[in-house]
Amino acid sequence: MPTIRQLPTSVVNKIAAGEVIERPASVVKELMENSVDAGATRVDVTIEHGGSELVRITDNGCGIAEEQLQLSIASHATSKIVDADDLFHVGTLGFRGEALASIAEVSQFRLRSRTPDSDSASEMYVNGGQLVEVTPCGAAVGTTIEVRNLFFNTPVRKKFLRTTQTEFGHLSEAFTRIALAFPHVHFTLKHGARQIYDLPPSDNWRERLAAFFGDEIATHLIPVNNADDAIRLTGYVADPKFNRANNKMQFLFLNGRHIKDRALQHALSEAYRGLLLTGRYPIAFLRLQMPPEMVDVNVHPTKLEVRFQDSGRIYSQLLGTLRTKFLSTDLTATYKPIESDDLHGAASGGGNINGQDVETAAKMREELVAWAKGQLPSDTESTSGQREVQESLDLDFRSAQRQPLELSRFDRDALQSGPSARGYAESAVESARLDEPHETPAGPTPGRALQLHRRYLVTETPEGMVVIDQHALHERILYEEFREKALAGRLETQNLLTPETMHLSPSEFSAVMEAQETLAKLGFQVESFGGDTILISSYPAILDRRKPSDTLREMIDHLVGDGKRPDRRDLLDELLHMMSCKAAIKSGDRLSAEEIDALLELRHLCQDAHHCPHGRPTSLVFTKEELDRRFERI
Ligand code: ADP
Ligand code: MG
């Protein structure tokens, strides 16, 4: 019979520690929050090796009295709430009294602190949860906490730590969130000898946003400000031409606490409906202020999610505010795509635009805004009308940006090396032999394929007829080509005369540095250029018409995308898929007869012409027999 035993405290504590402390980033988050709660106006963070060797945080807050030092690392010991009632009026970031206990349990922990009314400081050293000593020392008012060798006594946890770069990425994201939430506090971050951030206090939130995300975005932010009697919503959303392929640039702060809230993210996308292409996400920095009793922050171990008393009200307030804001802001103007480069954020295509299509696109947008005005205040569900407008916008924007389909060198070589449509000819002969020896096989006669709905190509084949998805097929062809060349190390690269710089977030920077080799295989030579800026010195020649940083931007969004990093082995393949998808003609592109022919003639070049790299079919074949049967001829 199994025996039930009470677990020793140290085991209990280690289990509890696992809930709060997952990686160095969690240490930084908890300690920075404590410093803010202590009223600090300056917080310095120093880390080594992505934080796994050392996290040291010094603040000038209220300090901890000597006789309270030991209590601070006891579990469930806090100065922030007294009883259960207080749980519903939490005005501080912390309140569970678990962080220091958890951190001290799984590290070599040193805490030095001095309160304003004491003339000396004391230092406490705790090794893996065991108090070693408390000694007097000299120090300024405030607290310094040093966390060394995280998880040294919990090898299971340590095993899960990733590379220095990855851990640093997470850590700097945690740093960013808190530094964004408290612009009045001076924060610094140092990684080894490298000063990553030095953020002087500022009254202007935009300045802090600019320090993290660059001036370009910061100067294109649209201020948001709305208050009813209890809830106040302030902050910025970005002009729709700045957008991302994931929602990582959506920051939401509730009473200074960074939170994630699906409903509010939904409200945000709803507000941008019709202004962004599908699959693109708005950039937003929003702060919600409300009386603490209107929200329960005690529902998630790291307090990332909260429960609002009246989430519907907040949803409507956010959506309503943004909609009104967008209608009073001349967004149409920002959409006049004068130069092709201007559009890079708004849609994924590149290339020049012909005047006609630009006008159509602009007109379409005006119509959308006019239509949306008529809809206000509308409910939050999308109507089919909205969807139609969105779809037609998608089409117009895509077609507005495309240049005629160009064959790459690889394509041209293949074409020159023999009569066109070798594949067809061969299979035609074969099937002619099998089925109908007396009929002349029909190859793809130039110009005979029809483009339907700017999306499908229909053509005759010896067997019957085939309906081709133009985007899927082109993507497949390019993918095969890119892959073959990348594996052989022959992907042509184009050196940039003036290397392009790109400002990244620390986690994006880490992701790029980790994928540096893979990117090089794809033709992107990138290197660190100080801080979180990278320098792009070459790019795949195949993407000739696209701005290198645009494609790279999408790849980075993909690299940091959904949190689960793709396996390194698959990364090259995933990026190849992306590149082919981006370089391929789009659904919605009108093709000329020559372009249609070119595409069809390349069809035999792919090993699996029937499926696009995403696994969708590229073409559907209807045999003569099937057609005959359907028409009841046989
Ligand atoms: P919590 O923040 O939930 O109260 P912690 O374990 O993070 O729990 O901290 C325990 C207590 O230690 C806090 O309630 C606070 O009184 C004290 N403390 C921790 N860090 C600091 C600091 N940097 N300055 C002053 N007091 C601190
Ligand atoms: Mg705390």
Side-chain angles (χ1 to χ4, degrees):
M1 280 293 277
T3 322
I4 302 178
R5 281 192 205 91
Q6 186 83 49
L7 289 171
T9 324
S10 70
V11 178
V12 174
N13 290 348
K14 286 199 178 68
I15 294 173
E19 295 242 318
V20 191
I21 305 302
E22 194 194 344
R23 56 188 351 144
S26 344
V27 174
V28 167
K29 170 187 182 285
E30 295 294 338
L31 298 186
M32 285 177 76
E33 288 189 351
N34 280 346
S35 297
V36 170
D37 280 346
T41 55
R42 172 153 188 156
V43 180
D44 296 294
V45 183
T46 303
I47 62 157
E48 269 162 33
H49 287 96
S52 54
E53 278 186 15
L54 170 75
V55 172
R56 183 194 302 119
I57 298 196
T58 299
D59 68 48
N60 62 356
C62 64
I64 308 174
E66 189 189 349
E67 64 277 11
Q68 301 252 295
L69 280 186
Q70 289 191 44
L71 206 50
S72 73
I73 53 152
S75 35
H76 310 296
T78 179
S79 58
K80 298 172 193 175
I81 58 171
V82 175
D83 55 29
D85 266 1
D86 289 348
L87 272 180
F88 302 98
H89 318 272
V90 177
T92 49
L93 294 169
F95 58 85
R96 293 207 183 127
E98 274 174 313
L100 293 194
S102 301
I103 298 168
E105 189 68 39
V106 292
S107 69
Q108 286 153 348
F109 179 95
R110 203 174 285 277
L111 189 160
R112 197 178 308 140
S113 200
R114 184 180 142 195
T115 53
D117 48 12
S118 162
D119 8 288
S120 69
S122 351
E123 183 176 290
M124 167 172 71
Y125 179 59
V126 185
N127 187 357
Q130 301 299 310
L131 178 71
V132 179
E133 59 182 359
V134 179
T135 45
C137 66
V141 171
T143 305
T144 293
I145 293 179
E146 230 177 63
V147 177
R148 284 185 189 272
N149 302 321
L150 187 66
F151 301 139
F152 79 102
N153 56 351
T154 41
V156 194
R157 278 261 157 204
K158 200 172 174 86
K159 212 171 62 188
F160 280 100
L161 290 185
R162 304 283 300 271
T163 60
T164 299
Q165 289 279 13
T166 306
E167 291 306 332
F168 176 68
H170 287 286
L171 190 150
S172 54
E173 276 184 7
F175 177 91
T176 305
R177 290 182 202 119
I178 296 173
L180 283 182
F182 300 94
H184 296 288
V185 179
H186 188 159
F187 290 100
T188 66
L189 174 63
K190 227 169 132 184
H191 191 190
R194 195 174 145 217
Q195 179 86 47
I196 313 284
Y197 291 113
D198 186 354
L199 311 161
S202 171
D203 280 337
N204 182 352
W205 204 29
R206 235 184 241 259
E207 278 175 17
R208 189 138 295 185
L209 294 173
F212 283 106
F213 307 108
D215 288 334
E216 204 188 5
I217 286 180
T219 47
H220 285 89
L221 291 174
I222 304 166
V224 172
N225 199 335
N226 176 279
D228 67 12
D229 49 349
I231 306 173
R232 189 177 152 81
L233 172 70
T234 53
Y236 298 96
V237 291
D239 185 308
K241 77 174 172 185
F242 293 92
N243 56 68
R244 287 285 188 271
N246 60 45
N247 63 11
K248 288 209 154 199
M249 281 284 272
Q250 297 176 1
F251 289 86
L252 183 61
F253 299 96
L254 167 72
N255 295 342
R257 188 192 302 281
H258 169 259
I259 59 159
K260 282 241 179 296
D261 189 278
R262 290 243 183 85
L264 294 182
Q265 277 169 355
H266 186 263
L268 197 59
S269 352
E270 205 56 43
Y272 275 81
R273 181 182 283 284
L275 298 170
L276 294 179
L277 293 179
T278 359
R280 305 299 300 180
Y281 294 81
I283 296 174
F285 308 96
L286 295 169
R287 292 143 73 95
L288 271 169
Q289 235 103 32
M290 67 182 75
E293 51 275 17
M294 285 181 73
V295 55
D296 185 358
V297 289
N298 193 22
V299 293
H300 190 267
T302 61
K303 310 177 200 103
L304 183 63
E305 285 162 28
V306 299
R307 194 179 295 130
F308 294 108
Q309 219 173 49
D310 186 354
S311 54
R313 171 175 167 190
I314 300 166
Y315 183 99
S316 315
Q317 190 174 349
L318 176 58
L319 182 60
T321 308
L322 293 184
R323 277 196 173 152
T324 317
K325 189 77 205 180
F326 287 157
L327 294 180
S328 61
T329 309
D330 188 11
L331 293 174
T332 17
T334 65
Y335 267 90
K336 287 215 181 86
I338 301 152
E339 287 177 313
S340 57
D341 279 354
D342 252 18
L343 260 173
H344 69 265
S348 46
N352 294 330
I353 305 155
N354 80 44
Q356 186 64 44
D357 280 340
V358 171
E359 269 173 42
T360 323
K363 188 147 178 289
M364 191 64 93
R365 199 154 292 280
E366 269 167 38
E367 274 170 26
L368 171 78
V369 173
W371 169 83
K373 278 182 179 154
Q375 290 284 302
L376 257 187
S378 78
D379 66 14
T380 55
E381 286 305 311
S382 71
T383 64
S384 62
Q386 261 170 315
R387 241 175 277 123
E388 271 164 38
V389 175
Q390 168 74 40
E391 266 174 31
S392 50
L393 270 174
D394 286 1
L395 290 184
D396 266 78
F397 261 77
R398 284 178 185 152
S399 59
Q401 292 173 73
R402 197 180 59 78
Q403 277 196 328
L405 173 63
E406 260 179 34
L407 300 180
S408 68
R409 210 168 310 150
F410 177 84
D411 303 338
R412 272 183 238 117
D413 291 351
L415 283 179
Q416 279 156 12
S417 70
S420 63
R422 197 162 14 99
Y424 277 121
E426 275 163 19
S427 68
V429 171
E430 211 171 84
S431 77
R433 236 184 283 125
L434 287 176
D435 315 332
E436 301 177 40
H438 303 300
E439 227 172 282
T440 320
T445 319
R448 251 229 236 145
L450 268 184
Q451 188 185 28
L452 303 182
H453 303 293
R454 294 199 204 164
R455 193 177 299 176
Y456 299 115
L457 306 177
V458 182
T459 189
E460 191 184 71
T461 67
E463 297 86 2
M465 68 173 239
V466 61
V467 184
I468 294 166
D469 179 322
Q470 62 185 41
H471 169 72
L473 176 63
H474 195 212
E475 180 181 351
R476 182 79 226 174
I477 295 171
L478 292 178
Y479 169 76
E480 291 288 342
E481 176 183 350
F482 291 169
R483 193 180 59 166
E484 194 184 302
K485 291 187 169 181
L487 292 180
R490 284 193 297 110
L491 206 68
E492 291 94 351
T493 58
Q494 179 79 51
N495 288 329
L496 282 163
L497 280 179
T498 355
E500 236 189 289
T501 54
M502 226 177 136
H503 183 85
L504 301 178
S505 78
S507 58
E508 290 170 343
F509 178 82
S510 310
V512 169
M513 285 300 125
E514 263 187 39
Q516 207 174 10
E517 260 179 53
T518 311
L519 288 170
K521 283 202 183 117
L522 292 170
F524 281 103
Q525 289 290 349
V526 295
E527 61 200 278
S528 161
F529 191 57
D532 295 313
T533 304
I534 54 164
L535 194 70
I536 313 169
S537 47
S538 82
Y539 66 99
I542 201 91
L543 296 172
D544 225 12
R545 290 167 293 138
R546 288 172 62 89
K547 210 173 153 200
S549 56
D550 286 358
T551 313
L552 200 58
R553 172 81 262 161
E554 309 220 357
M555 292 187 160
I556 295 168
D557 284 355
H558 182 82
L559 287 175
V560 295
D562 46 12
K564 53 174 178 7
R565 295 270 172 85
D567 192 295
R568 293 299 98 171
R569 252 180 316 128
D570 299 333
L571 187 63
L572 180 70
D573 212 46
E574 297 216 13
L575 296 182
L576 281 168
H577 284 173
M578 266 203 63
M579 237 166 76
S580 2
C581 182
K582 294 303 155 199
I585 51 167
K586 305 281 180 291
S587 161
D589 287 347
R590 201 196 299 278
L591 303 183
S592 69
E594 292 71 36
E595 291 175 322
I596 294 175
D597 289 343
L599 193 57
L600 291 182
E601 286 176 356
L602 292 170
R603 199 167 160 232
H604 66 282
L605 292 178
C606 36
Q607 287 173 15
D608 179 8
H610 293 299
H611 291 90
C612 79
H614 300 307
R616 286 197 295 116
T618 59
S619 54
L620 299 175
V621 178
F622 298 87
T623 61
K624 262 190 291 184
E625 206 187 15
E626 192 179 345
L627 293 170
D628 287 345
R629 225 193 344 262
R630 293 268 183 122
F631 285 106
E632 299 180 9
R633 280 173 171 273
I634 52 170

